[in-house]
């Protein structure tokens, strides 16, 4: 193999021969020289999908340095060497061992080199070559989608683009017609067509109406081999939906509609619904209703329900069965969104007549006015009519009406209404100064059906009459100084400015006149003619010790008709004043201050007097208690009350201290004598034997308690029994404690219990029986 100093360019001729060229750079020119060919073979092509039983022959490789003596050995490397392709080491024959698929791999790049078997040295450098796979038509066309979805507006023109479908063929598009596709339509004619080369689907029929048919299924076929016989094909489906356009005007199903409602239906209530049909959908089917004409246009209205696209007929004004039975209106419906391009299809509106029949109901009475306002003078006598209420039955029956006043609105029963003619009269005297307005409600009901009732407000205004005299506007605290000098100064003899009020309300306002009821030597009055007056002194030298208070009668008159006047008395006190005329003291306080006593001293004196009075009352009560008689004045004065002093002595053993005989004097003891003021409860009194020995300590105790009781002012009344409850140091029955009962129980005798009467029979049976049983 020759060595080259410059890069080698491998050129392929049209006949498949390869040439090596040396190129040298001389100056700016590229000089090409033909190189001698080292390998000799023909172009390698291999058909795909070989179905023979033997290896497929590819070609023969031979080096020009191979002398044919068997010393040359050929080695193959590269893509598929040893697996897909094998070379005969001696002859250089190249075979394909497997069935090849051009769609998996279209060419293989291999390297071949010749070696000397003896020396193992390469006879020449390795050279690269390519084995190309010839294509055959073994793949059918396939669409990119199994199902296409498209939409096109209805009423579109012929040729309107719908969708473009695309199919591919895995065969070699550069070799033959295996991958040359042609599109055709198998299903969907005559509505759609497809371009054979591009696969564009277009409209093939004009005026396709969505309202007639909305969806179409189109089947498109793609076929290779340019559509010739024997070519492979594939199909796809195109779902075409016609979208809506506003090409359908709204239309009423009927030319007239009949509805009905009661005449009592409230304003705004629904009478009924009507609907026009529109084959469009969405916003193209949106409609609007309106009333354009009719004698019921004033009473009825129609609104559009945007959800259901219905026209809702409602009450605009109250219907009246008695005046009109049927209300007729003309309703128009139009599309909200209109497309001018379809205006040639006709007017996009429609009209219909709607008749609404009013049904009669029994209505309550109707008043001639929504409210009544009457005026009456407050001095109007009882029984005088104030005004008249009028109502009638609006129904065709015209039943008579009866009237009544709602008593809740007239709690004082000031008014009465005639149930037949509706005349309102006064029952009691009115007083405008108490209430200027009276608001009452009058009820009107049908005589045959009292449940049909109406009410109307009646406002009665009480007009003012001058029946109240003016009086002082307030309580005046008026005083005059002892050292006042009449006429000394224009303001020095002014002691009070007075004004008046009048509960009446004259139309031209109040005008009061102030005068004195009689001539007064001490004071005078001056009318300011502005509803006020001034009180002036007529002399000096007032002395509070001579006269501390003056009473000045003032006559106040109004100017209304009839004139009303009253006399109000002004109390004027004489006070001590300083040089500037300011008051320092008046009346009783002034006299006390002149004696040198203050207000605090006065209070202290009164408090001391009150305490002394309380002490005298207390001592009188104590003295009265001490003069009480002894507790027991005779042997028969033991009454119902028992006083217990709760002094305990020696415990349980002094039961002998309870002998009632020791509590009485010897001279008052009478045997078996019962109290006369009570009924004895025991028919068989129990008699305890007297103590066996004297108890001096008990007598001493009783005597000391008697002395304390006689001298105690807080002792109980004489009809009380005093019990001294003293316990001594001995007892016949000994201890009754349960702690010792088990030891001493056998020593007791209970026979005396049978003498205590029937009340103690159960107790006697328990103890006597128990004692007998123990003895046995």
């Amino acid at each position: 193999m020759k060595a080259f100093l410059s890069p080698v360019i491998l050129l392929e001729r049209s006949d498949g021969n390869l040439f090596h060229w040396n190129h040298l750079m001389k100056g700016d020119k590229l000089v090409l020289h033909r190189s001698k060919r080292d390998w000799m073979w023909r172009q390698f092509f291999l058909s795909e999908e070989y179905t023979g039983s033997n290896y497929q022959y590819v070609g023969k490789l031979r080096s020009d340095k191979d002398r044919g003596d068997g010393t040359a050995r050929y080695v193959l490397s590269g893509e598929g060497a040893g697996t897909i392709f094998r070379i005969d080491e001696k002859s250089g024959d190249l075979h394909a061992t497997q069935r090849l698929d051009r769609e998996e791999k279209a060419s293989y790049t291999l390297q071949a080199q010749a070696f000397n078997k003896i020396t193992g040295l390469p006879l020449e450098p390795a050279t690269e070559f390519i084995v190309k796979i010839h294509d055959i038509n073994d793949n059918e066309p396939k669409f990119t989608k199994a199902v296409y979805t498209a939409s096109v507006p209805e009423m579109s023109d012929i040729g309107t683009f719908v969708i473009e479908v695309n199919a591919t063929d895995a065969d070699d598009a550069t070799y033959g017609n295996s991958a040359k596709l042609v599109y055709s339509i198998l299903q969907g004619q005559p509505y759609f067509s497809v371009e054979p080369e591009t696969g564009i689907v277009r409209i093939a029929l004009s005026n396709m109406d969505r309202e007639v048919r909305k969806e179409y299924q189109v089947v498109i076929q793609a076929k290779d081999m340019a559509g010739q016989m024997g070519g492979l094909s594939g199909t796809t489906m195109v779902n075409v939906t016609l979208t809506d356009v506003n090409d359908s005007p709204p239309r009423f199903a009927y030319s007239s509609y009949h509805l009905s409602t009661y005449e009592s239906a409230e304003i705004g209530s629904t009478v009924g619904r009507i609907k026009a049909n529109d084959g469009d959908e969405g916003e193209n089917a949106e409609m609007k209703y309106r009333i354009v004409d009719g004698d019921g246009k004033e009473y009825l209205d129609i609104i559009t329900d945007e959800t259901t696209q219905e026209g809702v007929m409602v009450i605009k004004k109250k219907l009246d069965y008695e005046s009109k039975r049927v209300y007729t209106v003309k309703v128009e419906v139009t599309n909200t969104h209109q497309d001018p391009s379809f205006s040639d299809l006709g007017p996009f509106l429609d009209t219909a007549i709607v008749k609404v029949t009013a049904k009669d109901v029994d209505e309550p009475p109707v008043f001639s006015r929504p409210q009544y306002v009457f005026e009456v003078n407050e001095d109007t006598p009882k029984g005088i009519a104030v005004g008249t209420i009028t109502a009638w039955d609006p129904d065709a029956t015209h039943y008579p009406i009866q009237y009544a006043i709602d008593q809740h609105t007239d709690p004082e029963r000031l008014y009465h209404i005639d149930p037949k003619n509706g005349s309102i009269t006064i029952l009691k005297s009115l007083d405008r100064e108490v209430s200027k307005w009276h608001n009452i409600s009058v009820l009107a009901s049908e005589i045959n059906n009292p449940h049909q009732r109406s009410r109307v407000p009646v406002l009665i205004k009480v007009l003012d009459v001058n029946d109240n005299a003016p009086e002082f506007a307030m309580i005046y605290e008026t005083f005059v100084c002892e050292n006042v000098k009449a006429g000394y100064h224009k303001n020095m003899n002014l002691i009070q400015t007075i004004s008046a009020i009048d509960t009446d309300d004259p139309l031209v306002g109040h005008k009061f006149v102030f005068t004195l009821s009689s001539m007064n030597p001490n004071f005078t009055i001056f009318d300011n003619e502005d509803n006020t007056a001034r009180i002036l002194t007529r002399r000096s030298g007032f002395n509070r010790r001579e006269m501390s208070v003056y009473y000045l009668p003032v006559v106040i008159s109004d100017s209304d008709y009839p004139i009303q006047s009253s006399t109000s008395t002004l109390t004027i006190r004489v006070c001590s004043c300083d040089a500037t005329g300011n008051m320092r003291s008046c009346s009783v306080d002034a006299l006390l201050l002149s004696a040198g006593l203050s207000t605090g001293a006065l209070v202290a004196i009164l408090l001391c007097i009150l305490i002394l009075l309380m002490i005298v009352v207390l001592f009188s009560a104590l003295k009265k208690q001490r003069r009480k008689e002894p507790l027991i004045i005779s042997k028969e004065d033991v009454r119902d009350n028992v006083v217990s002093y709760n002094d305990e002595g020696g415990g349980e053993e002094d039961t002998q201290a309870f002998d009632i005989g020791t509590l009485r004097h010897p001279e008052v003891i009478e045997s078996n004598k019962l109290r006369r003021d009570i009924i004895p409860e025991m028919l068989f009194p129990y008699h305890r034997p007297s103590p066996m020995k004297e108890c001096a300590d008990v007598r001493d105790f009783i005597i000391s308690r008697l002395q304390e009781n006689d001298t105690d002012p807080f002792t109980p009344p004489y009809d009380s029994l005093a019990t001294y409850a003293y316990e001594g140091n001995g007892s016949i029955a000994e201890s009754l404690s349960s702690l010792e009962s088990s030891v001493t129980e056998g020593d007791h005798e209970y026979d005396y219990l049978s003498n205590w009467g029937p009340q103690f029979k159960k107790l006697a049976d328990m103890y006597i029986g128990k004692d007998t049983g123990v003895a046995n």
Side-chain angles (χ1 to χ4, degrees), residues 151-201:
S151 61
V152 63
E154 62 174 333
M155 309 301 291
S156 297
D157 296 332
I158 296 176
T160 302
F161 175 85
V162 178
I163 193 174
E164 181 180 358
V165 296
N166 186 22
T168 59
D169 196 323
D171 292 328
D172 189 0
T174 62
Y175 180 78
N177 294 326
S178 298
K180 188 175 182 180
L181 305 180
V182 174
Y183 299 93
S184 62
I185 184 167
L186 300 182
Q187 177 183 323
Q189 295 174 336
Y191 308 105
F192 301 94
S193 63
V194 63
E195 294 181 356
E197 294 81 10
T198 61
I200 296 176
V201 179

Side-chain angles (χ1 to χ4, degrees), residues 262-265 318-322 358-366 392-401 444-454:
Y262 288 101
E263 62 174 333
S264 60
K318 292 282 287 186
L319 307 182
D320 188 6
Y321 171 83
E322 285 71 29
K359 295 188 291 185
D360 186 31
V361 294
D362 190 5
E363 299 176 89
V366 177
W392 67 88
D393 181 10
D395 298 318
T397 55
H398 296 295
Y399 289 126
I401 303 299
S445 59
E446 299 177 5
I447 292 180
N448 292 354
N449 188 5
H451 295 289
Q452 291 296 334
R453 176 183 298 178
S454 300

Side-chain angles (χ1 to χ4, degrees), residues 4 46 65 72 78 151 167 208-209 241 293 381 386 401 427 459 621 687:
F4 299 94
L46 185 63
K65 292 184 179 182
S151 61
M208 296 177 63
D209 193 354
T241 301
D293 198 4
V386 175
I401 303 299
L427 294 179
L459 308 179
H687 300 282

